[in-house]
Amino acid sequence: MSKRSSPVSPTVDFDADGIQHGFLKLPISTDESAWGAVMIPVTVINNGAGPTALLTAGNHGDEYEGITALLKLSNTLRAEDVRGRVIIVPIMNVPAATAGKRTSGLDGGNLNRSFPGDPDGGVTEQIADYFTRELVPMCDVALDLHSGGRTLDILPFAAAHRLDDYDQEAQSLGGAVAFGAPVAMMMFELDATKLYDTAVESQGKTFVTTELGGGGTTTPERMAIAERGVRNFLIHYGLIEGQLESPAGQQVYVDMPDASCYVQSEHSGLLELSFALGETVRRGDVIARIYDMTRTGSEPIVYHAQRDGVLVARRFPAQVNMGDTIAVIAEVVDSLER
């Protein structure tokens, strides 16, 4: 059964030349606003023939590195510097960002677990549907900026995914490397079915994602990585001219071959990690201890690394519950190409 048209309406003309700043408007009705709308900011910069890049952040509302980088870009990128079209959506999930949370303050929805979306669903599903059926088909290349938010701290990296289409995979990997983060990764997702990543890749588009820090804040170092990376992305795919800027040190390639890279807690308590982000871990090393907070005199539960690699992500809050990912260990490799 065919779906109805999206209830989202743009206030910009995606085909018009020049720079436009506007909104993607989604009607809502709440106790505070009977005839209201979710207003998602959007910038469109169009200058002649060329590819279309879709740049997004704020898929989760507490991941501020990408949001800030794209808000800055929307104020500084000039039409005369662009060849083709750049669509910038700094805050995909406005209700989540307004609440300062990973998930929507209106329906509790996790946008990056809601694709391909539904025009007749809740607010989060309606936003996902608009991106899937309207924005993604417009683009040739897409960059979605993530970080760890309030609950994770992550070594800054850009990433691609293993795909059935080797050429599509290679095009995405090239962008992930060119982004110029300290780490380039081939990323394994625990469940990719409802991700924005999958919605974009299933349409045959070139897609790059990132994790740029976390802790629910930004730092000057990580903002520099984000801003440099967005510019490198546009240069690499031919939307602006310039020289790619490399990271300060040699870029590290890491691979996540399977779900065993994720260390998840089977206990609740107080977390003590034994390694810092970026440190080398050997199989069998004590990666973490979890202490019982309900009594004294109890030995901590010890977690051992199940693989060699580098610690690329860690839980940020010290208090941990069963099922929480407490660490991610990825393998350092010489190349990410097939």
Side-chain angles (χ1 to χ4, degrees):
M1 185 173 62
S2 62
K3 297 179 179 180
R4 72 173 175 122
S5 299
S6 171
V8 176
S9 59
T11 66
V12 296
D13 180 350
F14 289 103
D15 296 321
D17 288 337
I19 298 178
Q20 301 170 77
H21 304 288
F23 299 95
L24 309 174
K25 296 172 60 178
L26 172 60
I28 59 169
S29 181
T30 67
D31 290 336
E32 288 74 32
S33 184
W35 291 349
V38 174
M39 305 288 281
I40 302 172
V42 61
T43 292
V44 183
I45 304 173
N46 206 333
N47 186 28
T52 292
L54 175 58
L55 310 179
T56 56
N59 199 326
H60 294 127
D62 61 350
E63 299 176 2
Y64 300 113
E65 294 88 346
I67 292 173
T68 306
L70 291 190
L71 286 172
K72 293 173 74 171
L73 182 69
S74 70
N75 291 327
T76 57
L77 188 59
R78 302 179 302 173
E80 56 265 33
D81 295 332
V82 171
R83 184 180 70 85
R85 178 172 58 178
V86 179
I87 302 171
I88 306 171
V89 185
I91 312 174
M92 296 172 73
N93 195 347
V94 166
T98 301
K101 298 170 60 179
R102 181 177 181 83
T103 57
S104 174
L106 289 177
D107 62 4
N110 182 336
L111 181 57
N112 210 30
R113 302 296 186 274
S114 298
F115 286 87
D118 185 346
D120 294 313
V123 168
T124 303
E125 288 183 305
Q126 290 177 328
I127 294 171
D129 171 73
Y130 182 79
F131 275 86
T132 300
R133 292 196 292 152
E134 301 294 337
L135 287 187
V136 173
M138 295 183 193
C139 81
D140 300 292
V141 297
L143 172 66
D144 191 33
L145 299 171
H146 284 264
S147 60
R150 292 184 300 168
T151 64
L152 292 170
D153 196 12
I154 303 176
L155 197 67
F157 66 77
H161 303 108
R162 293 290 180 212
L163 301 172
D164 293 335
D165 185 324
Y166 286 10
D167 182 65
Q168 182 187 10
E169 177 186 304
Q171 290 294 324
S172 298
L173 178 58
V177 172
F179 188 90
V183 172
M185 177 183 286
M186 189 59 69
M187 190 174 185
F188 179 87
E189 306 283 0
L190 286 173
D191 183 2
T193 304
K194 294 184 178 182
L195 297 182
Y196 176 57
D197 315 37
T198 302
V200 178
E201 291 164 346
S202 66
Q203 295 188 38
K205 311 295 184 174
T206 297
F207 180 79
V208 175
T209 189
T210 72
E211 297 289 352
L212 297 173
T217 188
T218 66
T219 68
E221 176 189 10
R222 290 171 174 181
M223 284 307 308
I225 293 169
E227 293 176 52
R228 178 184 70 220
V230 172
R231 178 174 172 80
N232 280 350
F233 179 90
L234 294 175
I235 293 171
H236 177 75
Y237 291 113
L239 286 112
I240 64 174
E241 294 184 353
Q243 296 294 319
L244 294 177
E245 186 178 348
S246 301
Q250 184 174 357
Q251 191 175 55
V252 177
Y253 299 151
V254 299
D255 185 24
M256 293 178 65
D258 54 47
S260 69
C261 295
Y262 293 86
V263 182
Q264 292 183 307
S265 177
E266 298 179 3
H267 305 84
S268 298
L270 193 65
L271 173 66
E272 177 193 18
L273 281 162
S274 306
F275 292 85
L277 286 179
E279 287 190 330
T280 299
V281 179
R282 299 299 181 193
R283 181 181 176 91
D285 284 347
V286 175
I287 188 75
R289 297 177 179 87
I290 296 180
Y291 295 86
D292 188 343
M293 297 175 63
T294 67
R295 67 192 72 247
T296 59
S298 297
E299 291 293 325
I301 304 298
V302 177
Y303 285 75
H304 297 272
Q306 300 302 306
R307 60 167 60 247
D308 294 344
V310 61
L311 186 68
V312 294
R314 54 156 290 170
R315 180 167 171 81
F316 191 72
Q319 192 164 344
V320 64
N321 292 305
M322 292 181 66
D324 290 338
T325 291
I326 57 178
V328 180
I329 302 169
E331 297 179 0
V332 178
V333 295
D334 293 330
S335 174
L336 294 171
E337 298 177 355
R338 297 262 193 180

